[in-house]
Amino acid sequence: MRRFSLRLTLSPLFVSALLMTGSSLAQAPDQPMPAPPEAPGTIVPETRPAAPATPQAAPPAAGVERIPVKAPPQKVKSIDEMLVELKRERNPDAARQIANSVMARWSESSSPTVDLLMQWSAKAAAEKRNAAALDFLDQAIVLKPDFAGAWNQRATLHFSMGNYRMSVSDIERVLKLEPRHFGAIAGLAGILTERGSKDAALAAWERYLEVFPADREAQELVAKLSEEIAGQRT
């Protein structure tokens, strides 16, 4: 889940598989094979002039064919590897690309049925058919209860419907399955902020920045909340 002022793509972003790019080597030009040595002339009696040696015709040149070589497929990074990169990246735009890739992977269930249910839910939610959207997500969770992506999508839907308590409940389930789910952490921080629980919201945003430190909007929210809390204590 990620709403509020922080905008991170939450819908499933099905990233296409890495393409195996084969770099073909250009065929080498035909190169003539060395001709065999000329056959020696036949020795004849001295009364006859020696017959000139007749060179044998060289065989036709044979071209050297090279088989096109494909570059080895690039290794697909794991979520753990991408999260390490996200924590180290300081460029906001580059970090955002990594974050979107991570969210996309978190939205993949490895079950075509569950993925289809999530797509139907997203479409229904976009059309304001919230009851149908919830029903699809409930089915997805029954089929794959350990899939954090379905819990996160349902938390987002509950939040959009104003069901904050149910949204927080789903967020807690997401974070139990994946404690580094920065989308769910941002959702929790946003709900706490709207409820006026500034200390808890600040702690949630700081937890978010531990995973996604290059998010400038989150940095600004942390600075703002810190100032407000400090002002209340003076």
Side-chain angles (χ1 to χ4, degrees):
M1 173 182 176
R2 181 157 188 202
R3 292 293 176 95
F4 324 108
S5 60
L6 298 180
R7 297 185 177 86
L8 178 66
T9 304
L10 295 181
S11 57
L13 304 176
F14 296 96
V15 183
S16 58
L18 295 174
L19 298 177
M20 294 177 58
T21 55
S23 55
S24 301
L25 297 177
Q27 285 192 351
D30 290 344
Q31 301 198 9
M33 298 291 289
E38 294 181 351
T42 303
I43 299 177
V44 293
E46 294 182 358
T47 55
R48 296 182 182 180
T54 303
Q56 295 182 359
V64 179
E65 181 180 357
R66 295 193 179 184
I67 300 175
V69 178
K70 288 186 176 181
Q74 298 182 17
K75 179 185 175 183
V76 177
K77 295 178 182 177
S78 68
I79 289 178
D80 289 341
E81 290 172 328
M82 289 191 290
L83 286 172
V84 169
E85 290 183 359
L86 182 62
K87 191 167 186 176
R88 293 175 177 173
E89 184 60 61
R90 291 298 178 264
N91 181 283
D93 293 333
R96 180 68 58 191
Q97 292 181 0
I98 298 171
N100 286 338
S101 297
V102 173
M103 288 296 295
R105 293 285 289 278
W106 275 333
S107 297
E108 297 172 359
S109 70
S110 73
S111 166
T113 301
V114 172
D115 288 341
L116 187 58
L117 286 167
M118 291 184 64
Q119 290 180 53
W120 287 347
S121 175
K123 185 175 185 297
E127 297 170 352
K128 304 300 181 183
R129 295 185 292 112
N130 293 331
L134 278 174
D135 183 60
F136 290 136
L137 288 174
D138 289 344
Q139 293 180 53
I141 288 171
V142 168
L143 289 173
K144 201 172 181 66
D146 60 345
F147 176 40
W151 290 98
N152 184 65
Q153 188 164 324
R154 196 173 75 172
T156 303
L157 181 58
H158 277 311
F159 175 80
S160 69
M161 296 169 64
N163 302 331
Y164 292 170
R165 183 182 59 82
M166 300 181 74
S167 180
V168 170
S169 177
D170 283 350
I171 288 172
E172 289 174 348
R173 189 58 181 265
V174 174
L175 296 178
K176 184 177 180 180
L177 293 167
E178 176 51 82
R180 303 165 298 178
H181 200 298
F182 49 85
I185 298 171
L188 178 61
I191 291 175
L192 292 170
T193 300
E194 292 199 5
R195 286 182 171 179
S197 304
K198 293 183 179 180
D199 288 320
L202 177 60
W205 284 124
E206 288 174 342
R207 178 181 176 184
Y208 172 90
L209 286 175
E210 288 177 3
V211 185
F212 190 173
D215 192 322
R216 289 182 177 173
E217 290 179 81
Q219 293 170 6
E220 293 171 0
L221 284 171
V222 166
K224 182 180 179 180
L225 276 172
S226 299
E227 291 177 2
E228 290 178 358
I229 292 171
Q232 291 174 353
R233 292 173 180 172
T234 56

